[in-house]
């Protein structure tokens, strides 16, 4: 009986933790509200999904050089 209650308690704690605010914050203290919302959503999705991305990954970029298509 005690084991069942303990497992139930751990299950409830785990369900609550998934929807709570992240315990980490963006590294930029001046991050915009949109950036903070994106960070929160990515942090929330991370345990349930594989996240990947590319930054400045255009075919016109030369290896190790600047991206000519990037805004200046």
């Amino acid at each position: 009986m005690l084991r069942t209650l303990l497992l139930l308690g751990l299950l409830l704690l785990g369900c609550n933790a998934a929807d709570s605010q992240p315990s980490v914050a963006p590294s930029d203290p001046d991050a915009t509200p949109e950036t903070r919302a994106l960070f929160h959503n990515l942090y929330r999705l991370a345990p349930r999904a594989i996240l990947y991305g590319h930054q400045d990954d255009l075919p016109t970029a030369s290896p190790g050089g600047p991206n000519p298509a990037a805004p200046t």
Side-chain angles (χ1 to χ4, degrees):
M1 178 68 172
L2 181 60
R3 184 175 176 181
T4 303
L5 289 175
L6 178 63
L7 289 174
L8 181 60
L10 289 174
L11 178 65
L12 290 174
L13 284 175
C15 291
N16 189 27
D19 294 329
S20 63
Q21 292 289 329
S23 60
V24 295
S27 60
D28 183 1
D30 298 326
T32 64
E34 294 85 2
T35 302
R36 291 182 181 277
L38 174 63
F39 183 83
H40 171 70
N41 287 331
L42 291 174
Y43 189 85
R44 187 175 51 85
L45 287 173
R48 298 189 301 266
I50 296 173
L51 305 175
Y52 67 93
H54 300 267
Q55 178 176 341
D56 293 332
D57 192 19
L58 296 174
T60 57
S62 60
N67 182 347
T72 56

